[in-house]
Amino acid sequence: MIVLHWCKMQIMCLLILIYMGIIYIREGRKLNRITEKSNCNRLFDVLFIMSELAVLFDGITACTINFLDQVPRTVNLFMHLGMFVSYEIFAMLLFWYWVSVTVGISKRKWMKAAYLMPGIITICLTVCLLPELKFMPGIYTNYSMGSAVYVSFICVAIYCAMTIIVIVAKYRYIPKTKREALATTLVCIVIIMSLQIIFPEFLVTSIAIAMITISIYINMENPAIYGLEHYHHEMVMGFATLVENKDDNTGGHIRRSSAYAVLIAKNLRKNKKYRNVITKDYLDNLVQSAPMHDIGKIGIPDAILQKPGRLTPEEFDKMKEHPVIGGKIIKDTFSHLYNGEYENMAYQVAMYHHEKWNGKGYPEGLSGTDIPLCARIMAVADVFDAVSAKRCYRDAMPLKECYRIIENGRGTDFDPDIVDAFFANRDQVEAIYYHEK
């Protein structure tokens, strides 16, 4: 019972982490069975294991440091080494995790080395400075002081500073929900570190580690969230494919045109003009919105959609109603969703993907940049797939001819920047074409 007195807070944090880990594993297995693939983040798995080790060592040292007459100094030093190193590795992994889920780990070797260097240096310094560690008597509990303690705090501070630099540099590209979770984590670290520095007897580091890990799990890695996203995507794709089947199509158009749209957006982001517009949120919303571009065809008679010949002027006028119908369906169906940005993009893609750069499109005759960017992207993707795929009224055109149609439409039918982004990587365009054919 005396032992529990010194480390009850760490034991509580460890039990909470273990309980969360059991739920994470159980729900993750369920999700993997549903999606037929692994959705776990291996880096989070390692981070989670390290958080448990850090809390475990924190609890052991909180106990052994109060039995200096019974526990040899070498044992205390070894346990403190485990605690300090686990803190530093946790800080390093936490930084890597945030970079990986926000802007992505750089492929440059020197950049990866820069990410690792503070952790490696501080771990080496901790090992070298450990013999100088002092165990100080306190009012409520004993605590450790010395250069090794300061080095651990410096390691955490460096990685916090590096995280802030990443946030500032890539702020617009980081999804809003991740920015909020990241900010919460940083605030938690700063508060706990400040308390620990000002009041060294508090030994509250384990609370920070547990809170950070739980926050990441709830906001980023909860299998239930992945499950909802999976169900939502499957619902959207199923609904869109159902409508596509009315057009005598098997759904290949949805998959291909959506893939072309995402490819264009990724290439377009390399253009400085759009770097801060096409964020990670934007790409995620486009992935979900693109399949809905022709949802309005559900309101067009099958006789028109499946007519093997050319449409009459009256029939074509009826066909031109499908963007407005699609926009209304999305407004009526998705207005209750929490993601207003996704709802707005889905509406714009459905409503305006037949508008033309020169203003001669429909339904509203918008021109130039008055046409929403997502709709301008979808216009190129939709037309390219429409002419390159077999339809009930004609055979598929050769790819060379399809490319010529897009190129000839540059500056008239299509936004020149988007056409350039489309042609930036023909190999990937053709990979999509042949894979989904």
Side-chain angles (χ1 to χ4, degrees):
M1 294 302 293
I2 297 177
V3 171
L4 292 178
H5 172 75
W6 301 116
C7 57
K8 55 181 178 292
M9 181 171 57
Q10 290 83 357
I11 292 174
M12 184 62 67
C13 290
L14 186 60
L15 289 175
I16 292 173
L17 287 174
I18 292 173
Y19 176 70
M20 189 192 78
I22 293 172
I23 296 175
Y24 174 61
I25 294 172
R26 184 185 65 194
E27 296 300 321
R29 287 176 177 173
K30 289 181 181 178
L31 179 60
N32 292 340
R33 287 198 297 269
I34 294 171
T35 60
E36 297 181 352
K37 64 179 181 179
S38 177
N39 289 274
C40 61
N41 186 325
R42 297 301 181 191
L43 186 54
F44 175 72
D45 293 348
V46 178
L47 180 68
F48 179 75
I49 292 171
M50 186 52 60
S51 71
E52 291 183 309
L53 287 175
V55 173
L56 178 61
F57 274 112
D58 190 283
I60 293 174
T61 56
C63 180
T64 59
I65 200 173
N66 285 285
F67 293 92
L68 296 176
D69 56 336
Q70 300 177 38
V71 178
R73 176 176 171 79
T74 53
V75 174
N76 252 315
L77 288 177
F78 179 78
M79 292 302 170
H80 276 78
L81 177 64
M83 180 180 67
F84 294 143
V85 170
S86 62
Y87 287 167
E88 291 155 359
I89 294 177
F90 180 82
M92 181 169 58
L93 289 173
L94 183 62
F95 173 76
W96 271 70
Y97 173 83
W98 279 120
V99 172
S100 71
V101 299
T102 52
V103 299
I105 298 293
S106 174
K107 295 181 180 179
R108 300 173 184 173
K109 291 182 179 180
W110 69 267
M111 186 68 77
K112 292 181 179 179
Y115 293 165
L116 290 170
M117 197 57 64
I120 294 174
I121 292 174
T122 53
I123 289 173
C124 292
L125 286 174
T126 299
V127 173
C128 294
L129 297 172
L130 190 68
E132 302 175 10
L133 194 67
K134 298 178 181 179
F135 303 130
M136 310 294 293
I139 299 174
Y140 305 106
T141 179
N142 294 342
Y143 58 93
S144 55
M145 292 295 289
S147 299
V149 178
Y150 305 140
V151 167
S152 292
F153 281 116
I154 290 171
C155 177
V156 175
I158 290 173
Y159 279 114
C160 283
M162 290 170 64
T163 304
I164 292 172
I165 291 172
V166 171
I167 294 174
V168 173
K170 302 290 185 178
Y171 180 80
R172 289 296 303 270
Y173 191 66
I174 300 174
K176 183 179 179 181
T177 54
K178 292 180 180 179
R179 290 201 302 262
E180 293 171 350
L182 187 50
T184 302
T185 300
L186 287 173
V187 170
C188 177
I189 291 174
V190 171
I191 292 175
I192 299 296
M193 279 184 60
S194 300
L195 287 173
Q196 188 64 67
I197 292 172
I198 298 171
F199 306 104
E201 288 186 59
F202 278 15
L203 305 180
V204 291
T205 309
S206 60
I207 295 178
I209 293 173
M211 287 179 63
I212 291 167
T213 307
I214 293 170
S215 174
I216 292 174
Y217 171 78
I218 292 173
N219 293 294
M220 311 290 295
E221 299 296 336
N222 191 340
I225 295 177
Y226 283 113
L228 288 174
E229 291 175 351
H230 173 75
Y231 288 135
H232 173 72
H233 183 68
E234 290 296 308
M235 181 192 72
V236 168
M237 290 300 296
F239 190 26
T241 302
L242 178 65
V243 174
E244 197 72 23
N245 287 338
K246 284 170 57 66
D247 199 12
D248 195 26
N249 196 296
T250 60
H253 171 65
I254 295 171
R255 295 189 296 272
R256 289 190 302 269
S257 60
S258 298
Y260 295 140
V262 173
L263 175 62
I264 291 170
K266 288 181 177 178
N267 289 335
L268 193 62
R269 190 177 179 274
K270 298 173 184 177
N271 185 329
K272 292 183 180 179
K273 190 190 306 183
Y274 300 98
R275 187 168 296 169
N276 291 328
V277 177
I278 303 178
T279 63
K280 185 65 165 57
D281 270 343
Y282 192 98
L283 287 172
D284 291 342
N285 289 330
L286 185 61
V287 169
Q288 297 292 331
S289 300
M292 305 295 284
H293 70 279
D294 275 339
I295 202 69
K297 286 184 177 179
I298 197 171
I300 306 300
D302 291 351
I304 295 177
L305 290 174
Q306 299 175 13
K307 185 176 180 179
R310 182 182 294 274
L311 298 178
T312 65
E314 293 78 14
E315 290 171 334
F316 187 62
D317 286 341
K318 185 67 177 177
M319 176 66 84
K320 288 197 295 184
E321 294 177 6
H322 83 268
V324 177
I325 297 172
K328 187 176 186 304
I329 289 172
I330 289 170
K331 283 291 185 183
D332 293 343
T333 305
F334 295 165
S335 60
H336 64 284
L337 294 180
Y338 70 94
N339 190 343
E341 293 178 0
Y342 164 62
E343 177 200 339
N344 190 48
M345 183 180 288
Y347 172 81
Q348 291 175 345
V349 165
M351 184 74 174
Y352 301 118
H353 70 283
H354 282 295
E355 300 286 1
K356 295 185 178 180
W357 186 251
N358 59 9
K360 295 183 179 180
Y362 62 89
E364 296 182 4
L366 301 180
S367 63
T369 55
D370 288 339
I371 306 169
L373 177 61
C374 56
R376 300 193 321 256
I377 292 172
M378 198 68 231
V380 174
D382 185 44
V383 170
F384 180 78
D385 189 71
V387 296
S388 63
K390 187 180 185 309
R391 294 297 177 92
C392 60
Y393 50 87
R394 61 157 173 78
D395 289 330
M397 295 182 183
L399 278 182
K400 185 177 180 180
E401 180 67 13
C402 299
Y403 286 136
R404 187 187 65 78
I405 289 172
I406 299 298
E407 191 170 1
N408 289 346
R410 185 181 186 276
T412 54
D413 293 346
F414 312 119
D415 181 341
D417 289 337
I418 292 174
V419 172
D420 294 343
F422 175 77
F423 283 115
N425 198 324
R426 290 197 186 190
D427 290 342
Q428 290 190 34
V429 170
E430 293 180 15
I432 294 169
Y433 171 79
Y434 288 113
H435 181 266
E436 298 289 352
K437 192 172 181 181

